Structures are given as C-alpha cells and as structure tokens.
Amino acid sequence: MILSNRYNFLYVHIAKTGGTSVRAALRRLQWKDPYYLAQFICSRLSHMTGHRIAAKLPRHAKIICAQEMLPKEFFDGLFKFAFVRNPWDLQVSSYHHLKRERPHLLAGHESFEAFTRWKLDPQRPYQYHLDTSITLQTDYLIDLHGRILTDFIGRYETLHEDFAHICKIIGVPPIELPHKRQATDRKKDYRSYYSDDLAELVGKHFARDIELLGYRFDPV
C-alpha cells in the first residue's frame, strides 16, 4: 500500500496484479512527498521492532486498514485505486512465483493441479504465503459492510492503459511502467493449466471476485 499526501492518493497493492511494476513507477513520486521521510523512518522502526508498533501500512494491507488508521476526512478525500486480475490467471502466476521464490512450500505438491487443490483444502494448516495467495481480491477493496471503497479498479489485463488513466487523475505526466517479476517458465494461456473440475473449484472459491469484478474462465 502506498499513501501519497502530495498527490492525494492511496494505492492498494493486491499481490500478483502487476503491483511490483506499479510500486516501482510510483516510487519517484514518493521522494517528492513532504511526509516521505517520516513514512520511511516509521517503516524502518516497524521493521526493527518486528512490526509490533503499528506504525506503517503493510505492503499488502487491505483498504479497511487505511480506513481505520487515517482521519475520516483525509481518507475520504484520497483517490483510492487498486489493480485486480482474472482469478484463474492469478493462481497460475502465484504458483510460478512460489515455485521460484519459495519452492519448499510446494513439497509433495509439485504440479499446478496438486498444489492448487492443496492450497484450497480447508483442512490445510495455515501458512501466510499460501493463504495470502487465495485471499479474495475483493477483500482488499471493501469495508466491513461489503461496500467497495476504491474509486478506481484497474485491471492487470489492461495494466498500461489503466495506469496511464491513474496518472492523469493524480495530475502527473504519464509514467512508463517497468517490467518486473515476469515469469519465463509459464505458459502464456492460463487455461492450459486447468482440468474442467479444477477450473470449477477455483471458480467456486473466487465466486465473489468473479461476480463483482466481471471475470470468467474464457475471456471475451
């Protein structure tokens, strides 16, 4: 999550939706923020204390976290945005990310189908990186009453166009998005990873995302 006082925006970073590229592009704006030094110091202090002082908004914090921590008038006046992604494609991206960065988490479940079924098993013990990857994207966007709090929801599928629109709204020249964390070992078409029943299983788990965000297994 990135908060900018100078440009009056709040970016809600949902994992595996192009957020690393968005953060890299927005970083240059952070340096111009009058509160950047204070934010940086608080972030370092939070890290040094094992995040026990509640002095920062975590990278993948949900928007309700910012709503609770910030003054109401200030929060309401922010331009709040996030990016989302087709849930079936997101799970393929998550699989390759964990396979590359934390391969020990795949132990005994090396194939995409076996790993995804295991992740979605409600009897599986909690594991932060696994559970974060199957958290509903809409959970990051809503308040306690289920109301969407973001002003704009961009899409990974139109990442560059939507980010250009965001730059226009916050009043900055268009910023080129860098290419970050692109997997080289995955197939381009996410649908090739799925059997019919696995696609249905993922669809059931992410039913609210699919309904509210308008996704489907076969893109239009």
Side-chain angles (χ1 to χ4, degrees), residues 5 19 27 36 53-54 56 82 93 101 115 118 131 139 147 158 167 188 194:
N5 285 263
R27 189 167 293 123
Y36 176 71
I53 59 174
K56 65 173 288 188
S93 178
E101 302 289 337
F115 182 64
W118 181 59
D131 285 85
D139 279 357
R147 295 182 294 239
T158 52
C167 289
K188 187 173 182 180
Y194 287 91

Side-chain angles (χ1 to χ4, degrees), residues 113 117 191 193-200 217:
E113 177 145 357
R117 289 185 181 279
R191 294 172 297 180
Y193 286 80
Y194 287 91
S195 61
D196 290 343
D197 57 334
L198 182 62
E200 183 178 358
F217 183 69

Side-chain angles (χ1 to χ4, degrees), residues 165-196:
H165 175 68
I166 289 165
C167 289
K168 184 176 181 180
I169 290 178
I170 64 178
V172 300
I175 304 173
E176 186 68 24
L177 283 174
H179 296 286
K180 297 287 186 179
R181 293 188 178 179
Q182 290 187 320
T184 58
D185 55 344
R186 66 159 288 179
K187 301 173 187 176
K188 187 173 182 180
D189 188 347
Y190 64 83
R191 294 172 297 180
S192 64
Y193 286 80
Y194 287 91
S195 61
D196 290 343

Side-chain angles (χ1 to χ4, degrees), residues 24-80:
L26 294 176
R27 189 167 293 123
R28 69 189 70 176
L29 301 181
Q30 287 182 281
W31 297 336
K32 301 176 182 178
D33 196 283
Y35 292 104
Y36 176 71
L37 179 60
Q39 290 174 325
F40 176 79
I41 293 172
C42 287
S43 177
R44 297 310 302 165
L45 287 173
S46 180
H47 179 75
M48 290 169 58
T49 59
H51 306 292
R52 291 193 290 263
I53 59 174
K56 65 173 288 188
L57 294 168
R59 176 186 293 259
H60 296 302
K62 297 172 183 176
I63 196 168
I64 194 171
C65 176
Q67 185 187 40
E68 293 293 325
M69 293 179 68
L70 297 172
K72 183 180 186 305
E73 297 79 9
F74 180 61
F75 176 82
D76 290 344
L78 292 168
F79 172 63
K80 300 171 282 290

Side-chain angles (χ1 to χ4, degrees), residues 1 10 12 61-68 75 80-81 139-143 147-151:
M1 182 173 284
L10 179 74
V12 181
K62 297 172 183 176
I63 196 168
I64 194 171
C65 176
Q67 185 187 40
E68 293 293 325
F75 176 82
K80 300 171 282 290
F81 66 93
D139 279 357
Y140 288 88
L141 311 177
I142 61 175
D143 63 13
R147 295 182 294 239
I148 292 180
L149 297 177
T150 48
D151 302 299

